[in-house]
Amino acid sequence: AGRCLQKMPALVRCTIAAQGSASDCGPIKDEHFGALCQGVGRGTQLTSLVLDLKWNQITGEHLGTFGEGIGCCAQLTSLVLYFRSNQITGEHLGTFGEGIG
């Protein structure tokens, strides 16, 4: 998804749903989430972003990078995140806020 977002700089609305328990590809892990995080910041025209990443294996290691990407989306007015049943710790949540700026 990260590379796709790079190739669509004029994208205005984006919904990505990859629920680990329902995915044929298996659960998303930190290395996959890291690639997605890098692409988000390239969607500079995004006004709405929905990420439904429930039931995966994300620890939050890349939440700071994700926050930085979100911080680059100056047009963003709606952000919906679903991370239920992952392994994100409070330590990593703080880096998300710091990344946004």
Side-chain angles (χ1 to χ4, degrees), residues 8-33:
M8 297 184 280
L11 185 67
V12 176
R13 291 187 197 120
C14 181
T15 298
I16 298 172
Q19 298 178 6
S21 64
S23 174
D24 292 334
C25 300
I28 295 173
K29 298 180 180 175
D30 280 316
E31 59 269 20
H32 308 122
F33 184 62

Side-chain angles (χ1 to χ4, degrees), residues 3-75:
R3 289 186 186 158
C4 292
L5 289 172
Q6 267 182 291
K7 296 177 183 181
M8 297 184 280
L11 185 67
V12 176
R13 291 187 197 120
C14 181
T15 298
I16 298 172
Q19 298 178 6
S21 64
S23 174
D24 292 334
C25 300
I28 295 173
K29 298 180 180 175
D30 280 316
E31 59 269 20
H32 308 122
F33 184 62
L36 172 65
C37 294
Q38 291 173 349
V40 167
R42 292 181 173 84
T44 56
Q45 299 302 311
L46 276 177
T47 60
S48 174
L49 177 62
V50 177
L51 291 179
D52 187 348
L53 302 176
K54 295 182 285 229
W55 302 301
N56 285 289
Q57 295 176 3
I58 300 169
T59 65
E61 182 179 327
H62 297 282
L63 280 177
T65 304
F66 180 55
E68 290 173 8
I70 294 296
C72 292
C73 300
Q75 305 298 318

